[in-house]
Amino acid sequence: MRRAIFPGSFDPLTNGHLDIIRRSAPLFDEMVVAVLNNPDKNPMFSVGERCEMIREVLPSVDTASCTMLVESFSGLTAHFARDRGASAIVRGLRAVSDYEYELRMALMNRRLVPGVETVFLMAGEEYSYVSSTLMKQVFELGGRVEGLIPELVEARMRSKQT
Ligand code: PNS
């Protein structure tokens, strides 16, 4: 059984995240989308709301024969991966600017739990500039984000404004 985790803040889920899920799913039998419980970061969505949105959107993604799970976690990603019996941590790389931060995390995670490898996937070019932070900023300032985040997520962002 090849099990991976795909950790992140997912505040909110973007089409860039879904692109990485679609690309990585055929490589694994089971993948846990692992939503970090980070209350001190003052997120737009609670961890419960983020998990719920991911669960609702996931069926629209072709995840091959990979079983998809959505779970929240607190603490270290490496420890969560170990405790869930995962052999891999999936992360997406959008541009060279992601590399330094991701390399540091991958090396630290490997030091923490040597049996778990980080697997990097290249994001689709169309999502190379898409981040949750940018989507929230553009949305909050009245810009258009259609096609960059799932419609359901956009609707939930709109309902937060009212
Ligand atoms: O979606 P993000 O914000 O890029 O995800 C970053 C995340 C959640 C993967 C990273 O912040 C993380 O792993 N946080 C959990 C705490 C941890 O393990 N820190 C040490 C990383 S080496």
Side-chain angles (χ1 to χ4, degrees), residues 71-130:
E71 295 175 14
S72 64
F73 76 103
S74 303
L76 289 170
T77 294
H79 288 174
F80 179 74
R82 179 198 61 198
D83 296 346
R84 288 299 280 100
S87 55
I89 296 171
V90 169
R91 293 288 289 171
L93 286 179
R94 291 165 298 193
V96 177
S97 50
D98 283 339
Y99 179 76
E100 219 176 301
Y101 169 63
E102 293 295 338
L103 176 67
R104 271 187 278 131
M105 279 211 297
L107 294 177
M108 191 65 215
N109 284 333
R110 193 165 66 187
R111 185 189 170 96
L112 289 165
V113 182
V116 177
E117 290 293 340
T118 299
V119 174
F120 290 113
L121 283 108
M122 306 308 143
E125 307 86 275
E126 63 273 44
Y127 304 117
S128 60
Y129 61 96
V130 175

